[in-house]
Structure formats: C-alpha cells, structure tokens
Amino acid sequence: MRQTPPFSVDIDAYADLAVSKPEFADTLSHLATTVCVVSAGRGAESLGRTVTATFSLSASPPSIVVSVKADSPLAALIAAEQGFSLAMLAEGQELIADAFAGKIEASKRYLVGIWADWPSERPRLLGAAAALDCLLSASVQVGDHTLFVGTIVATETSTHAAPLIWSRRRYQSLDRTRSLPASPSNGHATLTPSKPAA
C-alpha cells in the first residue's frame, strides 16, 4: 500500500489581515452545501464525522476532496487506512447528520441510520442521496485541517432522494418546484443589464 505522508501549506502569511472568526463564520454561512458524513475504518473500529467542506476535484481520475480537523482521530485513521468513504445525506437524514456532528458519542453513531459495508469494509450508508468509497491518493495539511484527496473506486446513487442542504446554519431542502432558466447552449451565461426601476 502506497503511503502518502501529508505535507503542510503555511497559510499564516496574511493572518494579521484576515477577518475575525465571527465574520468568517457569518459570511461562510451563506455557502450552501450538501451535508456529508465521511468515514474510515472497519466494523466497530469505524469513525465518522459530519462535514460540509467537500468538493469534486477531477474526472481523470475521478477524485474528491474532504476537509477534516488535522488533529482528530478520524484524520489519523484515514491516513492509516489509506482511504475513506463518503455519504451525501438525503432529506430526512438530519438525525444522522446530528449524530455525526457530535450530538451522539462516537461509539454509538453508526447505530443511527442503516449502515452496510463497501467491499473495502468501510462504512456505506443506505438511503443516502449518493455514497462513494475512496482510496487515499494525496493529503495536505492547511491550517488546522487536512485535505484528503480520494480516488473514487465505488459509487451508489439514489434516483429518488434529494440532497440534504446546509445553509444559514440550518438544514434546508432543494425547492424542486422552481427552476432557474437554462444557460445558453455554449455554457457561457449572458448577462443583460436590467433597467432601473422608475
């Protein structure tokens, strides 16, 4: 198994110019994202945590990034096991999100929801909007978090489940009754100035 020791990126160069933590939190609360649970380990040794800092990275190879507190047991387990699984939660799975956000002690979190195993034996949440299993391909420590890059080796998606969204410090749902106009076929949006109100 290939080891990928994390390297560190120093982001303190402009720390004295940065906004305050409350301002950071208030501003970033406007960023809407799917609520996810990242897991590592096998069976009773599994650890997991609710995360919203995750994003797709590449299609070649298919890769995703998750951000985990660098000094956490979960980060250490992901590094040791060289992989992680991710569940993109569906509407109705708020209790799972709460459990893995720390409202339930770590040893009892996998009692909330219905869990199975990927072939890797990492945890797989049933009923999620989407779930995937990853092999760790890179990691980098940035500030107090580690960014783990996973190469996606297995996926499972639901055609019926809508993603559970986190925005403005609360769970939200997609409004499927309202659609935005389609973009032009070339993929570039055309902005047309509107007339000011008379």
Side-chain angles (χ1 to χ4, degrees), residues 44-67:
E45 305 303 314
S46 298
L47 293 175
R49 188 74 184 172
T50 300
V51 297
T52 54
T54 181
F55 59 91
S56 64
L57 180 65
S58 171
S60 299
S63 305
I64 194 164
V65 175
V66 296
S67 178

Side-chain angles (χ1 to χ4, degrees), residues 167-185:
S167 180
R168 303 287 185 97
R169 297 186 174 93
R170 62 188 177 96
Y171 299 121
Q172 310 230 15
S173 69
L174 291 177
D175 182 359
R176 294 182 178 268
T177 62
R178 183 173 160 260
S179 295
L180 299 176
S183 298
S185 59

Side-chain angles (χ1 to χ4, degrees), residues 19-31 166 168-169:
V19 299
S20 67
K21 286 186 179 179
E23 185 177 351
F24 166 81
D26 288 343
T27 303
L28 271 292
S29 73
H30 293 260
L31 183 64
W166 181 258
R168 303 287 185 97
R169 297 186 174 93

Side-chain angles (χ1 to χ4, degrees), residues 5 14 29 45 88 103 109 119 126-127 146-147 155 159 165 172:
Y14 303 107
S29 73
E45 305 303 314
M88 301 177 195
K103 293 192 176 180
R109 292 176 187 168
L126 304 184
T146 299
L147 305 181
T155 66
T159 56
I165 305 298
Q172 310 230 15

